[in-house]
Amino acid sequence: MSNLKELIKQNHDWARRLESENPGFFERLANQQQPEYLWIGCADSRVPATQIADMLPGEIFVHRNIANVVVHTDLNCLSVIQFAVEVLRVKHIIVCGHYDCGGVKASLQAPSLGLIENWLHHIRDIYQMHSADFRDLQTEQEKVDLLCRLNVREQVLHTCQTTIVQQAWQRGQSLAVHGLIYRIQDGLLEDLDLHVSNLESLQQLLPNP
Ligand code: CO
């Protein structure tokens, strides 16, 4: 209970500080949100979207789950994407992975975690698809790093393939999907050079049939 009291006190101090630095901040925010970004990231407590982008409440719409996975039939994630694209009309969707992701690491090991393994199988699928790329890697760390990057790429593709993003592009809405990865050790984002802003640029990313 005492921990929660401390948390609430911290919140009150934070709100007072923010309001004194930006008078009227919360009142303006209460009227509307106009974020330009949708962030799809890992639930990991060390990767808080708004903080690591050095933004304020109201600037990033956020969806987080274990290992930043965009599953074609995940109504939760799809609802977030639809609301962000069609109602908030965000300009950018950022799929952000991170190195040393516990979900990615676990998916390289034998299943032992129960229910969550059903979720991690989405990442195992990516490993299977790219298994040739892992053959020459010597260390576990290299394998985890590569799978973290490939996972971002795959989830960027899944995001682009949703009916929501496809239809936005078809009606000419300005919308770009980006893949980034975050390094917990130094707090820096890395651009994975995955930027898709229309149906043509998506074709270039897709594997040849
Ligand atoms: Co993670």
Side-chain angles (χ1 to χ4, degrees), residues 99 144-153 181 190 192:
Y99 289 114
V144 173
D145 287 355
L146 177 61
L147 194 52
C148 286
R149 288 193 295 270
L150 289 173
N151 182 40
V152 172
R153 185 179 191 282
I181 193 158
E190 177 186 333
L192 288 177

Side-chain angles (χ1 to χ4, degrees), residues 27 91 131 171:
E27 206 179 313
K91 299 263 187 292
S131 55
R171 62 176 175 263

Side-chain angles (χ1 to χ4, degrees), residues 52-180:
I52 67 177
D54 197 18
M55 289 192 182
L56 289 167
E59 294 187 280
I60 308 185
F61 200 64
V62 176
H63 178 76
R64 290 167 69 183
N65 60 37
I66 304 258
N68 44 273
V69 178
V70 177
V71 178
H72 297 303
T73 53
D74 177 0
L75 271 184
N76 182 359
C77 183
L78 292 175
S79 300
V80 170
I81 295 174
Q82 184 185 13
F83 189 78
V85 171
E86 297 182 6
V87 180
L88 299 174
R89 297 184 78 85
V90 297
K91 299 263 187 292
H92 305 274
I93 300 176
I94 295 169
V95 176
C96 186
H98 68 101
Y99 289 114
D100 285 315
C101 181
V104 172
K105 275 186 195 171
S107 70
L108 281 169
Q109 288 153 16
S112 65
L113 299 171
L115 175 83
I116 196 178
E117 296 295 346
N118 298 290
W119 186 255
L120 297 180
H121 279 308
H122 292 298
I123 304 170
R124 289 200 179 92
D125 289 343
I126 301 169
Y127 176 77
Q128 297 292 340
M129 273 192 296
H130 296 271
S131 55
D133 298 332
F134 288 81
R135 220 163 278 151
D136 296 331
L137 298 181
Q138 305 299 318
T139 67
E140 194 62 21
Q141 185 71 51
E142 287 175 310
K143 290 179 188 169
V144 173
D145 287 355
L146 177 61
L147 194 52
C148 286
R149 288 193 295 270
L150 289 173
N151 182 40
V152 172
R153 185 179 191 282
E154 195 64 22
Q155 308 316 331
V156 164
L157 291 177
H158 288 179
T159 305
C160 294
Q161 287 163 334
T162 61
T163 52
I164 305 148
V165 172
Q166 294 272 317
Q167 287 168 1
W169 284 336
Q170 279 161 13
R171 62 176 175 263
Q173 186 175 335
S174 167
L175 178 67
V177 182
H178 313 273
L180 303 180

